[in-house]
Amino acid sequence: MSNYYIWVPIVVGVLAIIFAIGLANSVLRKDTGTPAMQKVANAIFQGAMAFLNRQYRTIATLAVVAAIVVATVLYLFSKGTDADRLSLAWHTAIAFIIGALCSGLSGYIGMYVAVKSNSRTASAATRSLGEALIVSLRGGAVSGFLVVALSLLGVSILFTVYNGLSNPSVAPSLIIGFGFGASFVALFAQLGGGIYTKAADVGADLVGKVEANIPEDDPRNPAVIADLVGDNVGDCAGRGADLFESTAAENIGAMILGVTLYTATGSPSWILFPLVMSAFGLIASSIGLLSVRKSAVIEPDKAAGRDPGDIAMRQLTIGYWVTCILAGIGIFVGSYLLFGDSKAVGASGLAPWVWYGLSGLVGIVLSIAFVYITQYYTSGTWRPVREIAAASLTGPATTIISGISVGFECVALPVIAISCALGLSFFLGSHVTFPTNSGLPAAINPGGIYGTAVATMGMLMSCAYVLAMDTFGPITDNAGGITEMSNQPEAVRDVTDALDSVGNTTKALTKGYGIGSAALAAFLLFSAYLDVLFSYTKNPDVYHVDLSNITVFIAALLGLTLIFFFSSLAIRAVSRAAQNMIEEVRRQFRENPKIMAEKVEDRVDPDYARCVDISTRGALRAMILPGVIAVLTPIAVGTILGPQAGAGLLMVGTMGGIVMALFLNNGGGAWDNAKKFIEAGYLRVNEKGEVVDSLDPDGIILGKKSEAHKASVVGDTVGDPFKDTAGPSLHVLIKLLSTITLVLAPLFVALHP
């Protein structure tokens, strides 16, 4: 009976793709706005697609080379007969190519629809807040549902084609390449997109806002189109590839852990459970999305003075809570269906499915906790952002110092939450025991480890809805830019500003969610690697990774160093590309003074295409070195120092990556929203220059063009490559370390028997 459950993820995955097509169709049928809106939107579309075409051609070349190298290495150096080695090599290589292809496809299609949604959102904003909210959210949902559905379908179909139904203990190890391919593409997509968007953003901000004193998205800024393009290639395509590989790698890792329990019980349900839960998550996310309705949105003119941004955010929050509640129900239903007749035994008179349902609930609660922790550190409602805004009164230096201190502080609460979730889910899973004569190694607690895997599945169940909220951000950002550049009335800009403010919050929340899921999966993927080593060596000592062993210690130190060096390369790449952008914007202002002519009729358009080309070339050149170093480091360590050293690098490198990504994401987000806090007019001082309450009617407002605002722009500029380039790229790097070591474990074992 258990084998029939494989049809659940396949059928739901197909239905999710149909659902995404329906969403895309409903969005693309909307009005595209005035000719002026369409002109700006077309320029953004052409720039985004030109970059993506060039980027994916580069990534495709690298991916084909990587697939050939992996297949050759596995055939030449893995153990077994020639037939066994050939089978492992070609199965892994094909899975790698399919994973890379699906990752690229989901990012490409999702970004296409997102870019096409921006003018439609701007047009909808001329009519109502509710319509603009629905158009932008559903445009973003196309990417969210495609990413999760293609990941789920890819793993499920490969598992079936690779004889998973007849030989479930072998198939998961053959489809590891799918996760590696997804991680490989995601790393370069996130790096390239992040470098592109921040090079354009930094150039537009520093020269436009600070030097030329013109507003954001002003059509006189030569870098404005490149900036708007960057929002899409960084946040849509990049984040889509990131969460695609998250769902793929974590599903495969949980399936590998499930093989151990399949060996003990003879039930393939332990292997299929991650796929079934992902399917439940898609259903929950679709209902959550549809619960956000135009009719439920209170329009600003009927809201008795309420902030339109709060109104929009409330609707998105309702959809998220609906998704989480349904996911909580789904985790218990799925546990009952798959584990209800298991040979495992639960403690305290409770069935195993109850214990694992509770473990999954821990993951769902952690996702909610991460959303609110991230909101605390990146929203202007709370102390951290206001503290940075207040520091801007004394200049850029104190703004940067305050932001760095907030970034370091914001690591503590998330790490405590992750630790509690891991410990509690392990504790709950430990209440499930398996037959003693099953051949399970005595060195591990299989029930507890699987509990952490179930918690990870619980957290990932809301992935489609969270990604929809993330892609909502660049759509609304672009809609605001289109509204500004097409000279729409102030009332329309008020609506797009409100949605843009919400989008900034949702993008920050998604980064928190992304690193939270990566952190929760760290132990899962680490345990899966040890299981793979045991499957080759049959030596339970592989489960003991001893830091007092000199090779393990060296590898661990190298893993931690990789995180810092990789972050340095990513941030430096933004700096170099931004310098070129700044010089180009200054050159255009200097050589063509009519761009800044006082009379509108005397002005000429700047050369937007030149700035787009500078960002494109800079990003594609700069993404290669950090990406190659990230790929080669774990390979070199495992090959030279052995599989246990590879485990040390994986363990400590992952921990360092989690902490560093939290610092970069939340620190950068706090700087960004401190700037927006000031731009919204909430920084107020009394006659003595002391900060007063943001709503104090007697306070002097220090808004746009004030010295405090200029200082906050500098802080935001420092934070940009933190939160949009290095931080998100570390999400991918963490899981890339795991998938590389999983794929090449046979090589490490063969070289160090």
Side-chain angles (χ1 to χ4, degrees):
M1 177 63 185
S2 296
N3 282 344
Y4 290 109
Y5 286 120
I6 190 62
W7 290 105
V8 173
I10 293 175
V11 170
V12 172
V14 171
L15 291 176
I17 290 177
I18 295 172
F19 181 66
I21 293 171
L23 291 174
N25 186 51
S26 70
V27 170
L28 295 177
R29 283 191 286 113
K30 296 290 184 181
D31 175 49
T32 56
T34 65
M37 287 181 174
Q38 294 174 31
K39 178 183 176 182
V40 179
N42 288 336
I44 297 170
F45 175 77
Q46 291 170 7
M49 299 312 291
F51 171 77
L52 215 60
N53 288 335
R54 289 170 64 175
Q55 183 189 43
Y56 276 122
R57 281 200 299 270
T58 303
I59 295 174
T61 302
L62 295 171
V64 170
V65 172
I68 293 171
V69 170
V70 167
T72 303
V73 166
L74 289 178
Y75 176 72
L76 293 177
F77 295 104
S78 59
K79 291 183 176 181
T81 64
D82 286 348
D84 291 338
R85 291 186 286 113
L86 180 61
S87 175
L88 177 64
W90 77 261
H91 278 97
T92 302
I94 290 177
F96 179 95
I97 292 295
I98 294 174
L101 183 64
C102 287
S103 178
L105 186 64
S106 60
Y108 199 95
I109 296 173
M111 200 204 73
Y112 177 90
V113 176
V115 175
K116 286 292 186 180
S117 301
N118 54 27
S119 63
R120 290 161 172 82
T121 299
S123 176
T126 64
R127 295 183 288 275
S128 74
L129 172 66
E131 185 179 346
L133 174 66
I134 297 301
V135 170
S136 51
L137 180 61
R138 294 189 175 180
V142 173
S143 175
F145 281 86
L146 274 177
V147 162
V148 180
L150 285 174
S151 172
L152 183 59
L153 276 176
V155 175
S156 302
I157 292 173
L158 276 175
F159 178 79
T160 306
V161 171
Y162 284 5
N163 297 319
L165 299 181
S166 59
N167 194 2
S169 63
V170 174
S173 62
L174 297 178
I175 60 175
I176 295 171
F178 183 89
F180 183 20
S183 298
F184 188 90
V185 169
L187 181 68
F188 287 101
Q190 184 64 73
L191 264 174
I195 294 167
Y196 181 105
T197 183
K198 291 305 104 179
D201 196 5
V202 169
D205 277 0
L206 285 184
V207 184
K209 287 184 181 179
V210 177
E211 295 182 10
N213 268 325
I214 56 178
E216 187 170 6
D217 299 330
D218 192 298
R220 292 172 291 177
N221 193 328
V224 68
I225 294 294
D227 186 12
L228 293 171
V229 169
D231 291 328
N232 296 285
V233 299
D235 287 321
C236 295
R239 194 80 70 257
D242 174 8
L243 289 179
F244 179 94
E245 64 96 22
S246 287
T247 55
E250 288 155 25
N251 277 334
I252 294 170
M255 292 170 75
I256 291 171
L257 295 181
V259 169
T260 302
L261 305 185
Y262 163 76
T263 304
T265 63
S267 172
S269 295
W270 303 99
I271 300 173
L272 298 177
F273 180 78
L275 303 179
V276 175
M277 286 304 96
S278 292
F280 271 97
L282 277 170
I283 295 170
S285 295
S286 64
I287 297 172
L289 180 77
L290 295 176
S291 69
V292 181
R293 305 184 314 280
K294 175 184 173 182
S295 60
V297 179
I298 302 172
E299 293 300 322
D301 58 352
K302 300 177 182 177
R306 282 180 57 197
D307 183 355
D310 290 340
I311 295 170
M313 190 67 212
R314 176 176 172 78
Q315 290 303 312
L316 296 184
T317 303
I318 289 172
Y320 177 68
W321 274 103
V322 169
T323 301
C324 289
I325 291 169
L326 293 175
I329 296 171
I331 201 83
F332 279 99
V333 171
S335 297
Y336 174 76
L337 291 175
L338 274 78
F339 305 147
D341 58 351
S342 170
K343 293 180 181 178
V345 178
S348 304
L350 296 178
W353 68 268
V354 176
W355 291 110
Y356 284 129
L358 292 170
S359 296
L361 196 60
V362 169
I364 295 171
V365 171
L366 179 65
S367 72
I368 297 170
F370 252 87
V371 164
Y372 284 99
I373 291 171
T374 305
Q375 193 167 355
Y376 172 74
Y377 279 107
T378 59
S379 171
T381 308
W382 306 100
R383 173 192 60 82
V385 167
R386 295 187 176 202
E387 187 177 280
I388 297 172
S392 68
L393 291 171
T394 48
T398 49
T399 304
I400 292 169
I401 292 170
S402 180
I404 289 175
S405 70
V406 167
F408 284 133
E409 176 195 328
C410 74
V411 168
L413 281 180
V415 168
I416 291 171
I418 293 164
S419 301
C420 290
L422 280 173
L424 184 56
S425 59
F426 187 92
F427 171 76
L428 293 169
S430 297
H431 285 75
V432 180
T433 55
F434 296 87
T436 55
N437 59 348
S438 60
L440 293 175
I444 63 171
N445 183 331
I449 292 174
Y450 199 76
T452 66
V454 176
T456 306
M457 295 304 105
M459 188 166 189
L460 283 174
M461 289 179 75
S462 57
C463 182
Y465 187 86
V466 170
L467 189 52
M469 289 200 299
D470 180 70
T471 311
F472 165 90
I475 291 173
T476 55
D477 193 335
N478 275 204
I482 291 170
T483 301
E484 176 81 22
M485 295 183 71
S486 59
N487 297 313
Q488 296 301 305
E490 192 65 28
V492 180
R493 182 71 199 194
D494 288 342
V495 172
T496 56
D497 278 350
L499 292 176
D500 186 21
S501 174
V502 175
N504 285 322
T505 301
T506 58
K507 286 189 290 185
L509 299 182
T510 307
K511 291 185 181 76
Y513 176 87
I515 191 57
S517 66
L520 198 58
F523 187 72
L524 180 162
L525 294 169
F526 178 68
S527 300
Y529 174 68
L530 298 183
D531 272 6
V532 170
L533 292 183
F534 179 76
S535 70
Y536 283 102
T537 64
K538 302 304 179 185
N539 182 359
D541 288 343
V542 298
Y543 289 101
H544 299 288
V545 182
D546 186 359
L547 280 174
S548 67
N549 182 312
I550 187 62
T551 57
V552 174
F553 186 89
I554 291 170
L557 188 59
L558 290 172
L560 187 58
T561 302
L562 172 64
I563 299 302
F564 283 83
F565 188 54
F566 176 86
S567 300
S568 168
L569 291 174
I571 293 170
R572 184 182 302 158
V574 172
S575 175
R576 287 176 176 171
Q579 288 171 32
N580 293 333
M581 182 65 72
I582 289 169
E583 289 302 322
E584 173 60 22
V585 175
R586 286 173 176 168
R587 182 194 66 80
Q588 291 199 34
F589 282 151
R590 184 174 60 250
E591 296 181 5
N592 194 350
K594 288 186 177 181
I595 293 174
M596 297 290 288
E598 289 190 17
K599 294 181 179 180
V600 175
E601 58 270 21
D602 293 338
R603 292 176 187 169
V604 297
D605 287 339
D607 187 353
Y608 301 124
R610 173 68 179 160
C611 291
V612 170
D613 186 61
I614 285 173
S615 265
T616 300
R617 287 187 288 107
L620 293 180
R621 281 198 307 265
M623 74 179 187
I624 302 297
L625 179 60
V628 170
I629 288 174
V631 171
L632 293 182
T633 300
I635 296 174
V637 167
T639 302
I640 298 169
L641 300 179
Q644 288 297 98
L649 177 139
L650 178 57
M651 178 173 61
V652 177
T654 299
M655 292 176 182
I658 291 167
V659 172
M660 177 67 89
L662 286 168
F663 163 72
L664 295 171
N665 288 342
N666 290 344
W671 266 315
D672 187 5
N673 281 334
K675 177 197 71 175
K676 289 181 171 61
F677 181 83
I678 295 172
E679 290 177 343
Y682 292 133
L683 180 62
R684 303 187 182 195
V685 297
N686 58 23
E687 293 180 354
K688 297 179 180 179
E690 299 167 336
V691 178
V692 297
D693 186 84
S694 61
L695 299 178
D696 187 341
D698 297 325
I700 302 168
I701 297 175
L702 299 179
K704 293 181 179 180
K705 298 186 180 180
S706 66
E707 291 304 311
H709 178 242
K710 291 181 179 180
S712 73
V713 171
V714 174
D716 175 43
T717 303
V718 174
D720 273 341
F722 281 29
K723 68 181 176 65
D724 289 326
T725 307
S729 296
L730 284 175
H731 301 181
V732 186
L733 176 62
I734 290 167
K735 285 159 285 189
L736 181 71
L737 294 176
S738 299
T739 53
I740 289 177
T741 50
L742 282 169
V743 166
L744 295 179
L747 168 66
F748 303 158
V749 171
L751 294 176
H752 300 269

